Amino acid sequence: MEVLQERETSTAERDDRLIERLRLGELSAFEAFYKAYRPKLRGFIRSVTSNEEAVDEVFDDVMMVVWKKIGDFEGRSKLSTWVFSIAYRRALKERGKKPEVENNDQVEETAPSEEAMERALEAGRAKDRIQAALGKLPSDQGTVVRLAYFEGLTYRDIGAIMGCPQDTVKTRMFHARRKLKAALGGTLADWI
């Protein structure tokens, strides 16, 4: 428990320093912020929009909002909660604008070993099953699962991002878990 509190404190302190540097307009701070948030934020945006072509556009919009509006950040939530909240709303807006496009074109540059191919195939099947099951969930339930399991956010933070009470997040998670268990078999821990 103490280690978790120390980690949260150090993260909060690091975020506070980063926020101050961003408010001062330091490009190096923005670069560090960009690099830290890019992978997880793009993955989250992709899961909400389901439109690969929109991911970079939404991500860039979010980065622009952070750069321009960091002075408006009041610190009532964690920095990550504020950023994911912006991303969630932008991704939902984008999802309503454009038709979803599926891109399955993949190019293999080198020939992997048979063992590597089998591992990749099995991992790909599991990932495909999880993605398919998540894709069948209502959007709000899928978002709750992604934010909790893939981003490690608390129910309180998820509620702040999605603009709903913490109890609503818990209810959505309960229903999502039940549906995922039925779709995947076993327990959710077996898959995530």
Side-chain angles (χ1 to χ4, degrees), residues 41-119:
L41 200 55
R42 286 185 81 250
F44 174 69
I45 292 166
R46 181 179 295 110
S47 73
V48 175
T49 66
S50 300
N51 180 349
E52 187 63 36
E53 293 176 7
V55 173
D56 287 329
E57 183 179 333
V58 172
F59 176 77
D60 290 344
D61 285 350
V62 172
M63 290 295 108
M64 189 59 67
V65 169
V66 169
W67 179 251
K68 288 182 176 181
K69 301 286 186 178
I70 191 69
D72 296 342
F73 177 66
E74 298 174 358
R76 290 183 285 173
S77 65
K78 293 188 292 187
L79 177 63
S80 61
T81 302
W82 182 65
V83 173
F84 274 90
S85 181
I86 295 166
Y88 178 67
R89 283 166 181 71
R90 295 283 173 142
L92 284 178
K93 185 177 178 181
E94 184 65 31
R95 185 173 70 186
K97 282 181 12 184
K98 297 180 181 177
E100 295 182 8
V101 176
E102 189 173 317
N103 183 359
N104 290 327
D105 296 333
Q106 295 179 354
V107 177
E108 189 66 40
E109 294 179 9
T110 61
S113 69
E114 282 188 45
E115 183 180 311
M117 285 176 37
E118 285 181 35
R119 282 194 313 266

Side-chain angles (χ1 to χ4, degrees), residues 29-43:
F30 186 72
E31 184 178 315
F33 172 81
Y34 184 96
K35 286 179 181 177
Y37 275 85
R38 188 173 194 275
K40 59 185 173 183
L41 200 55
R42 286 185 81 250

